[in-house]
Amino acid sequence: MAAVAGPEEPGLEPGGSFRRYLARLGALRPQPGAERPDGGRRRTELHLLFDQLISESCGPAPAAGPSPQDVCALLVQACQLVHLDQEHLVSKVCQLIHHVLNRFQVMVDEQNLNFLLSYCISALKQCSSWTHVEILQALAALVYNNGPKCQKYLPDLLGKTGLLVQFSDSAQPDMELRRAAVRSMANLCLGVPGQPYLDESYRIVCFQTFLSVLQSSKTSDVDDIAFCMLLQNALKGIQSLLNGGKMKLMQTDQIGSLLAVLKKCMFHGLPGLSIEMPAALYPAPLPQYDKRSPVKQEQSEPATFKQTGNRRKKSKGKQRRGELGEEGREDLGDSGNESVLGADMLKLRLGDVQNSPCSDPRTRASDVAYVPAGKDHSSSHYTSWKRISSSESEYSDAEGGIQSKTRSYQANVRQGALACFLSAIKSIEKRVLYGYWSAFVPDAPGIGSPQSVSLMTIALKDPSPKTRACALQVLSAILEGSKQFLSVAEDANDHKRAFTPFSVTIASSIRELHRCLLLALVAESSSQTLTQIVKCLANLVSNAPYSRLKPGLLTRVWNQIKPYICHKDVNVRVSSLTLLGAIVSVQAPLPEVQLLLQQPSSSGLNNSGSATPHRFNSSEQWRKAFPSEGEPPDNPAGCTSSEPCWLLRLCVSIIVLPREGSCSDSDANFPSFSSVYEPCPLRLESLQVLALLVKGYFSVAQSYFLELGEVACRCMEEMDPSIQLHGAKLLEELGTGVLQQYKPDSAVAPDQRVPISVVVTFWTMMLNGPLPGTLQNSPHATLQTSACDALSSILPEAFSSLQNDQQILCVTLLLGLNHSENPLVKAAAARALGVYILFSCLRQDVMFVADTANAILNSLHDKSPNVRAKAAWSLGNLTDTLIINMETMGQSFQEEFSDLLLLKMLQSATEASKDRDKVKSNAVRALGNVLHFLQPYHIANPRFREAIEESLQALISTVQSEATMKVRWNACYALGNVFKNPALPLGEAPWTTQAYSALSSVVKSCKNFKVRIKSAMALSIPSKRECYGSTEQFCQIWSALVVALQKSEDTEDFLEFKYSASLRTQICQALLHLLSLAKSTDLPVIWETITENGDAIKSYVLQYLKSGVEENEAGVHTDLCERERVLKGAIEHLGGIEKELEGKAGVRVSVYLEDVLTNHANATELTEA
């Protein structure tokens, strides 16, 4: 035959040999009308052809393989030539499908898939059992990533009597067959993005099958490797269900069963450890029963001691341990035998850690492990955490090879279980997951009992670096978002009770996590795993409630991470900085961290000898470039004012000093700025740490305020936009730190603040530096946005001291950016203008106020919701300014301000009050201010009349709406502002009735007490009786407030209860205000209310008066008798009216109030006595 040329000829184009095989298969197909070939010869040729194809598909994959069309055509032709009764050929053609699809990674198209799947399913039904494994392997290759195309075959495969369900059953004696079926099922479960997933019924069948596989135990007749592969396939199947099917685990028994098998598989084949797990785990605060095999542990211990000695001889003097993959690792430290290590750990003290940050981490194991006094488990506990090396085995090379392969497969099972656990964490609600915390997170061992096995057991003991890294990834995922759960932890006070509170249990777990992770840090040799340990520590630090725990934990982490800043691998260095950033940002400021930052730089740095990089020895290099103002010379060593803290100095040196040669092979992955500086990720992380340090511990950073400003300037002058961006963020934090110091309620003493002159120097440097250029010319919107935010963090007192041209520059830049096409930049500019409008030196400038108003109104009509929200906030601030100017500058400002602009503000704010809630909340605030600002001539102007009416209706409808509470709160406040304007026809206009009705309804029934408080406050603002309108309206308001007072403790939401006292105070003030204005026609209704509810009202008013005395004693009020004075004023006013009414009505409101006052006076005398 012409097509019999060998496939191995050189010079063939990709897929050429495949086409020849295709031609040979075509030649074997019977032609219509041709003589039928001899069956035996045809079978022989097919066997030969399939053998050649299988042989070729088993080699290494070529750079360019055959086309998918050729592969599919070949496989279909092969199947068409093989009848199902030719079982040997069926077996071979299935092997061919398996090998070819796997080698060339071909996805079979739908038409050919239908044919090939039908062929395999028919073969499974008709052929003998000895062929089933090969057929299932072919099936697995066909359905891989093709699940959505297999829908019509699912009943045959996954139905109640489906083939895969039968073959994967636990009763199946053939392990290879069971494994092949489970693998096919797992491949069917793979999700394809954008394609429909398996139906719920099939998902449940697959999940239960995988679960039963994982729950099964290995029998003695089953090969270890085959069992490992079976478990791996089941784990991949569950992971696919969780990932591709977005399966949400809700039922407790389902979660418990899955977590139990995952925990079992996490430890599968781990040397020196054998555990038996219950069928299901249950949410519990304490570790659950996991039975260990004592025999295996005892056997492992002698090997451990032997290994310790031998390993040390082999690796003495080596800094780097080989990446041995599945081989064992060195022990936890190179510091002698177990008893010495245990003794060192028991000696640990807080101040015991002043070693060099660049010394060998493994020589400092004693700095890590914290063992409570009296719990000596240095020999019993730590020996069981040793690793077994293959070098200690007592079997032959062949046996050793098998043993090594088995260990490799067992490690793959552990990795698969951990990867599956990672997917499960995303599928389980966090609050449900934390019920199983004790099953996976270590707790300090009890006296006389071993420590429960946990993820840290793997991180410390597993011989495979990849598995250790997987365990740490899982632990990180558990810790992520655990702040609320861990917030209950507390061990600051020594508890002496008969039981251990849950808070102490969690605190103990947090401490143990710190101890174990720091042990792992010292013991680890793999850079990739080391990175995971540090990331895990950073996650723990970010979520632990250190303010509720005994101090010392962060000190140990701080001192232990220092050496890794100089690690050879840049990823380890970056993650170490991330950890330091977590320390300075968690619950800042913490006294413990404050002390660490105040330690002089020399501690742990100057004694490090030749191991210390030059950048640490030349500590003053970066500071000499930027002389500090007012720094006293020759400060004594150790004074924090004489040199920066270690962390600040470290970060600045990484950012600004040139690099000193390659630190790591992995640097090549990070192209740095002209290779002059450290790798970019390292510099970025340093900038982030600096920003966090400034934010959380400004008092530490403020001594180097100008130097840090210079660092920010340098960064913003660079070419790399990410460095520029983080430079701008550092600048913003520096500005914000000063703003916080100068707040009216700041606890920082005036002489401890950054002097105004220094702040002026700082901002002069910024405005003469790269900041204006960045704002004007940067093509990067995010950078412009950050620069804009930085410019808005300027201290108002410093701004007024800047040169005039610099003030104009700032204002011009912001007004210009307000017209940016980018919504991020435009939003930041609108917000910055809202900050500047409150500056005292700018708000009195009518031209600036007008320019700002026009810019803000422009942004208020932007299509971006974020821009509109920022513009509405700024409009609220601008209208606040109008009120301040009206009160301080009087009529001159009001007359100068444009009427047309005022009208535009009123109309725009009315329109914005119908926008989404984030815009609406500030729009109604602005409406209240503008309506308060209007003068009689505005109100009389016909152009204003309609706008005023619309704006008032907008406010009233917002109060009554179902908007968020903040919006309604602001709307009530705005109506209160409206009532302050004497020029408005309050009490006469029709909208008055609607406004009072809306406020009266809200004060009685709103779920949110803060909204009720603001509505009561608004109702107490009108200063004249005429403003309340008719007697009927006045009495409705009175009655509503009485009802509100009685309902002031009724709430469905417990969180609202804390505001009930404030609500009663506000309602009592409003009631007394109404009484002091009441007319004679109002008294009958008031008296009727008092007659019905007198006792209740009396008790609340007495409580109101009493709380006034208490607040006065606490220094809250200056006028000690303010509340009594208002009550006496109401009594006097009502007494006069009642005298005029004498004989006409039996109204005695004043007598009732005098009785209340007398009771209060008596109670006060008794208290004082």
Side-chain angles (χ1 to χ4, degrees):
M1 286 171 62
V4 182
E8 289 83 12
E9 286 181 24
L12 294 173
E13 75 281 4
S17 59
F18 243 73
R19 291 196 192 97
R20 278 198 308 284
Y21 283 124
L22 209 58
R24 287 174 64 185
L25 283 170
L28 290 171
R29 182 192 291 265
Q31 300 299 319
E35 185 184 337
R36 188 175 178 82
D38 176 55
R41 189 168 65 84
R42 184 165 163 276
R43 267 201 302 276
T44 305
E45 284 217 30
L46 279 173
H47 273 294
L48 181 63
L49 198 53
F50 290 162
D51 285 342
Q52 286 176 338
L53 272 166
I54 291 168
S55 166
E56 187 167 309
S57 65
C58 286
S67 70
Q69 292 83 357
D70 286 349
V71 171
C72 292
L74 184 138
L75 295 178
V76 168
Q77 276 210 32
C79 290
Q80 286 171 340
L81 288 169
V82 176
H83 297 293
L84 296 178
D85 56 351
Q86 300 170 317
E87 291 188 346
H88 281 90
L89 281 174
V90 169
S91 172
K92 267 192 186 167
V93 82
C94 287
Q95 286 180 49
L96 179 63
I97 293 170
H98 169 63
H99 287 298
V100 168
L101 292 181
N102 281 335
R103 188 201 183 197
F104 298 115
Q105 297 295 299
V106 171
M107 290 279 291
V108 183
D109 62 90
E110 193 161 0
Q111 186 181 346
N112 290 318
L113 182 70
N114 284 337
F115 174 79
L116 293 169
L117 274 181
S118 299
Y119 183 86
C120 289
I121 290 169
S122 301
L124 281 172
K125 289 176 178 176
Q126 294 179 36
C127 296
S128 304
S129 58
W130 69 268
T131 62
H132 287 175
V133 171
E134 283 79 11
I135 299 169
L136 285 170
Q137 285 176 341
L139 184 73
L142 286 166
V143 301
Y144 184 82
N145 266 343
N146 261 331
K149 298 175 191 170
C150 305
Q151 295 295 326
K152 63 181 178 183
Y153 301 101
L154 293 180
D156 282 334
L157 297 171
L158 300 176
K160 282 189 178 177
T161 57
L163 294 164
L164 296 182
V165 176
Q166 288 177 39
F167 294 140
S168 61
D169 190 76
S170 54
Q172 173 59 245
D174 186 342
M175 180 57 71
E176 277 299 311
L177 184 59
R178 190 181 180 198
R179 185 176 71 77
V182 170
R183 186 182 175 194
S184 297
M185 197 180 279
N187 284 1
L188 264 175
C189 292
L190 277 170
V192 179
Q195 297 289 322
Y197 198 66
L198 286 175
D199 288 342
E200 186 68 24
S201 58
Y202 294 129
R203 284 188 229 182
I204 293 168
V205 167
C206 293
F207 185 78
Q208 288 304 328
T209 301
F210 298 141
L211 208 56
S212 66
V213 166
L214 295 173
Q215 286 168 338
S216 61
S217 300
K218 188 181 88 67
T219 52
S220 56
D221 60 328
V222 175
D223 177 53
D224 277 338
I225 291 175
F227 187 67
C228 285
M229 291 169 81
L230 173 69
L231 294 178
Q232 263 184 278
N233 289 327
L235 288 164
K236 281 179 183 171
I238 288 184
Q239 194 176 0
S240 295
L241 284 171
L242 294 170
N243 292 349
K246 301 284 185 286
M247 186 175 175
K248 286 291 173 193
L249 298 167
M250 306 296 284
Q251 299 164 1
T252 306
D253 56 341
Q254 197 182 42
I255 296 170
S257 301
L258 177 61
L259 293 181
V261 294
L262 289 181
K263 185 168 182 180
K264 178 185 166 189
C265 293
M266 274 162 42
F267 297 100
H268 182 77
L270 189 61
L273 187 72
S274 175
I275 64 166
E276 292 175 24
M277 288 298 299
L281 291 175
Y282 296 96
L286 296 172
Q288 289 168 63
Y289 174 76
D290 43 77
K291 186 181 174 186
R292 301 198 213 182
S293 164
V295 178
K296 290 196 177 181
Q297 283 195 3
E298 284 165 15
Q299 286 173 349
S300 73
E301 288 179 21
T304 302
F305 281 112
K306 182 179 172 186
Q307 165 206 346
T308 306
N310 290 350
R311 182 76 59 77
R312 190 164 291 111
K313 286 174 189 172
K314 288 176 190 172
S315 62
K316 191 172 181 180
K318 287 187 182 179
Q319 284 285 341
R320 185 181 179 193
R321 283 175 272 175
E323 304 294 336
L324 298 176
E326 306 308 325
E327 293 298 313
R329 295 191 296 156
E330 289 192 42
D331 296 340
L332 298 179
D334 295 339
S335 50
N337 61 27
E338 291 300 317
S339 59
V340 175
L341 177 63
D344 278 354
M345 286 188 279
L346 288 169
K347 285 179 194 169
L348 179 69
R349 296 190 309 276
L350 257 181
D352 215 357
V353 271
Q354 300 296 329
N355 297 7
S356 158
C358 299
S359 57
D360 182 3
R362 279 169 296 284
T363 62
R364 299 180 56 204
S366 59
D367 294 344
V368 187
Y370 168 67
V371 182
K375 292 187 182 179
D376 183 8
H377 40 271
S378 56
S379 57
S380 64
H381 176 52
Y382 290 98
T383 49
S384 68
W385 291 58
K386 297 300 166 191
R387 306 177 186 100
I388 294 178
S389 165
S390 61
S391 62
E392 301 305 321
S393 60
E394 296 177 1
Y395 33 73
S396 67
D397 288 347
E399 287 172 326
I402 295 166
Q403 196 70 18
S404 175
K405 190 176 179 184
T406 304
R407 282 206 305 274
S408 175
Y409 274 92
Q410 288 170 339
N412 286 342
V413 170
R414 297 197 294 275
Q415 287 161 27
L418 290 162
C420 195
F421 193 3
L422 204 55
S423 298
I425 288 169
K426 294 169 187 171
S427 305
I428 302 172
E429 239 186 301
K430 274 288 169 82
R431 62 184 182 83
V432 176
L433 178 69
Y434 292 139
Y436 301 90
W437 173 273
S438 59
F440 297 98
V441 180
D443 186 19
I447 297 170
S449 63
Q451 186 160 31
S452 60
V453 290
S454 67
L455 287 163
M456 279 312 308
T457 312
I458 301 170
L460 283 163
K461 186 178 179 185
D462 201 293
S464 157
K466 190 175 177 184
T467 314
R468 297 194 297 272
C470 286
L472 290 157
Q473 273 183 305
V474 172
L475 185 56
S476 266
I478 292 173
L479 287 170
E480 201 170 331
S482 61
K483 188 174 286 184
Q484 191 176 355
F485 172 71
L486 296 182
S487 65
V488 301
E490 185 171 20
D491 71 350
N493 305 313
D494 290 328
H495 94 96
K496 294 175 181 175
R497 303 179 199 170
F499 65 95
T500 304
F502 182 62
S503 58
V504 174
T505 303
I506 294 296
S508 165
S509 183
I510 292 171
R511 287 190 166 279
E512 187 63 10
L513 265 176
H514 280 79
R515 191 185 70 82
C516 292
L517 283 168
L518 290 177
L519 270 175
L521 188 71
V522 168
E524 190 52 66
S525 59
S526 157
S527 294
Q528 288 80 4
T529 312
L530 201 53
T531 305
Q532 287 299 332
I533 293 170
V534 181
K535 283 181 178 177
C536 198
L537 265 170
N539 243 337
L540 173 60
V541 167
S542 298
N543 290 286
Y546 292 100
S547 57
R548 294 166 61 90
L549 303 172
K550 287 177 184 170
L553 288 175
L554 287 172
T555 302
R556 280 189 282 280
V557 175
W558 176 275
N559 288 310
Q560 199 55 38
I561 200 62
K562 280 185 178 182
Y564 296 93
I565 299 298
C566 313
H567 197 272
K568 63 183 182 295
D569 187 278
V570 75
N571 290 309
V572 175
R573 297 174 72 196
V574 170
S575 57
S576 301
L577 282 168
T578 306
L579 173 54
L580 288 166
I583 291 173
V584 295
S585 61
V586 65
Q587 297 170 327
L590 284 172
E592 184 180 355
V593 177
Q594 189 92 30
L595 286 172
L596 288 170
L597 291 168
Q598 286 171 350
Q599 284 177 0
S601 303
S602 54
S603 70
L605 281 163
N606 292 347
N607 302 324
S608 51
S610 59
T612 307
H614 173 63
R615 71 177 58 256
F616 290 108
N617 289 330
S618 58
S619 61
E620 292 303 307
Q621 201 177 58
W622 67 277
R623 296 194 67 231
K624 284 174 186 170
F626 335 121
S628 175
E629 290 193 3
E631 185 171 302
D634 304 322
N635 275 7
C639 263
T640 54
S641 58
S642 67
E643 58 176 337
C645 73
W646 171 78
L647 181 58
L648 192 143
R649 175 174 150 193
L650 166 76
C651 291
V652 172
S653 65
I654 289 172
I655 296 161
V656 302
L657 294 186
R659 70 193 303 179
E660 300 167 3
S662 178
C663 296
S664 164
D665 296 337
S666 63
D667 286 359
N669 301 326
F670 305 111
S672 56
F673 177 61
S674 308
S675 298
V676 173
Y677 294 112
E678 291 284 4
C680 188
L682 201 60
R683 299 180 72 214
L684 287 175
E685 202 60 47
S686 297
L687 274 165
Q688 288 188 63
V689 173
L690 264 188
L692 290 169
L693 176 61
V694 170
K695 183 178 183 178
Y697 298 88
F698 188 75
S699 59
V700 174
Q702 75 178 70
S703 306
Y704 317 99
F705 186 66
L706 292 178
E707 289 91 329
L708 291 172
E710 182 65 28
V711 170
C713 264
R714 279 195 179 192
C715 291
M716 290 174 71
E717 285 167 349
E718 289 195 19
M719 301 300 292
D720 186 334
S722 55
I723 297 285
Q724 290 178 305
L725 174 65
H726 284 85
K729 287 187 181 295
L730 174 60
L731 172 56
E732 184 188 353
E733 291 300 347
L734 287 164
T736 306
V738 175
L739 280 174
Q740 296 293 333
Q741 282 194 338
Y742 279 86
K743 272 189 170 180
D745 57 349
S746 171
V748 182
D751 60 334
Q752 297 295 313
R753 297 171 184 174
V754 179
I756 299 278
S757 59
V758 174
V759 183
V760 172
T761 305
F762 174 88
W763 282 107
T764 303
M765 175 170 66
M766 293 302 139
L767 293 168
N768 291 334
L771 186 59
T774 303
L775 285 163
Q776 287 172 301
N777 308 318
S778 174
H780 303 283
T782 315
L783 176 57
Q784 268 188 312
T785 303
S786 278
C788 214
D789 290 338
L791 194 60
S792 71
S793 68
I794 189 167
L795 184 70
E797 293 88 332
F799 183 86
S800 58
S801 301
L802 288 174
Q803 291 177 5
N804 196 41
D805 59 336
Q806 289 180 324
Q807 291 185 8
I808 293 168
L809 173 65
C810 291
V811 170
T812 309
L813 285 169
L814 292 178
L815 288 169
L817 287 171
N818 201 72
H819 297 286
S820 170
E821 291 179 6
N822 186 284
L824 285 174
V825 178
K826 193 168 184 177
R831 181 192 164 276
L833 285 172
V835 172
Y836 274 47
I837 198 68
L838 296 174
F839 290 2
S840 56
C841 62
L842 290 176
R843 71 172 178 234
Q844 295 176 2
D845 181 342
V846 177
M847 291 307 296
F848 172 71
V849 175
D851 288 343
T852 302
N854 281 311
I856 289 169
L857 292 177
N858 167 270
S859 295
L860 200 58
H861 295 99
D862 197 85
K863 62 183 179 182
S864 162
N866 187 39
V867 173
R868 296 200 303 275
K870 301 290 186 192
W873 179 81
S874 294
L875 184 62
N877 283 6
L878 189 143
T879 55
D880 285 344
T881 295
L882 295 183
I883 303 301
I884 295 167
N885 286 346
M886 180 177 75
E887 291 168 354
T888 55
M889 297 171 67
Q891 214 165 344
S892 61
F893 180 84
Q894 290 165 306
E895 288 171 356
E896 282 185 58
F897 197 76
S898 163
D899 291 354
L900 184 61
L901 184 55
L902 198 62
L903 181 61
K904 277 174 67 180
M905 288 167 67
L906 193 60
Q907 291 167 335
S908 295
T910 304
E911 192 181 330
S913 71
K914 296 163 189 166
D915 203 332
R916 58 183 63 195
D917 282 354
K918 281 191 176 178
V919 180
K920 193 184 290 187
S921 62
N922 283 300
V924 293
R925 176 165 74 101
L927 276 179
N929 283 331
V930 174
L931 289 166
H932 181 192
F933 181 80
L934 293 176
Q935 298 307 298
Y937 63 87
H938 292 131
I939 295 162
N941 189 330
R943 287 196 300 174
F944 273 85
R945 198 169 297 139
E946 188 182 344
I948 291 169
E949 183 64 34
E950 282 182 13
S951 59
L952 284 163
Q953 290 302 327
L955 282 179
I956 292 163
S957 62
T958 306
V959 169
Q960 295 171 317
S961 70
E962 291 301 314
T964 56
M965 296 311 163
K966 186 181 178 184
V967 173
R968 297 178 74 187
W969 185 93
N970 273 353
C972 291
Y973 182 81
L975 274 179
N977 256 341
V978 172
F979 294 165
K980 290 177 184 175
N981 189 342
L984 287 167
L986 194 59
E988 299 167 16
W991 58 262
T992 308
T993 307
Q994 294 171 291
Y996 286 136
S997 175
L999 292 170
S1000 299
S1001 172
V1002 165
V1003 82
K1004 290 188 292 186
S1005 59
C1006 185
K1007 290 178 182 177
N1008 185 283
F1009 276 20
K1010 288 170 87 174
V1011 175
R1012 289 200 210 181
I1013 290 166
K1014 283 297 164 192
S1015 59
M1017 192 181 287
L1019 287 170
S1020 65
I1021 283 174
S1023 56
K1024 295 177 182 174
R1025 171 61 187 83
E1026 300 79 56
C1027 295
Y1028 286 101
S1030 66
T1031 298
E1032 184 187 357
Q1033 189 166 284
F1034 182 90
C1035 294
Q1036 281 174 354
I1037 296 168
W1038 166 267
S1039 300
L1041 287 167
V1042 170
V1043 172
L1045 189 61
Q1046 291 172 308
K1047 286 185 171 182
S1048 61
E1049 292 181 13
D1050 298 349
T1051 176
E1052 295 171 10
D1053 187 352
F1054 181 73
L1055 294 175
E1056 293 299 320
F1057 195 75
K1058 61 184 174 183
Y1059 300 113
S1060 61
S1062 299
L1063 174 59
R1064 284 193 293 276
T1065 298
Q1066 197 58 56
I1067 293 172
C1068 286
Q1069 281 178 2
L1071 286 171
L1072 291 178
H1073 177 70
L1074 289 177
L1075 287 172
S1076 63
L1077 297 177
K1079 295 192 304 189
S1080 57
T1081 51
D1082 305 325
L1083 292 186
V1085 175
I1086 293 173
W1087 179 244
E1088 188 183 333
T1089 314
I1090 288 172
T1091 307
E1092 290 173 6
N1093 308 292
D1095 291 343
I1097 296 171
K1098 183 177 182 179
S1099 65
Y1100 286 127
V1101 174
L1102 281 170
Q1103 182 60 43
Y1104 164 71
L1105 295 169
K1106 182 185 173 189
S1107 63
V1109 172
E1110 289 166 358
E1111 286 174 10
N1112 290 333
E1113 287 169 357
V1116 177
H1117 290 282
T1118 50
D1119 185 352
L1120 296 175
C1121 303
E1122 176 62 26
R1123 295 187 182 186
E1124 287 180 35
R1125 189 184 61 74
V1126 172
L1127 178 57
K1128 286 174 182 173
I1131 292 169
E1132 193 176 322
H1133 170 73
L1134 291 168
I1137 294 171
E1138 285 168 2
K1139 267 188 183 176
E1140 293 173 17
L1141 288 174
E1142 192 132 8
K1144 295 180 185 176
V1147 176
R1148 289 287 178 269
V1149 180
S1150 60
V1151 176
Y1152 170 81
L1153 293 177
E1154 282 172 358
D1155 182 43
V1156 172
L1157 187 60
T1158 306
N1159 280 3
H1160 169 65
N1162 293 338
T1164 307
E1165 284 173 16
L1166 282 170
T1167 307
E1168 288 171 357

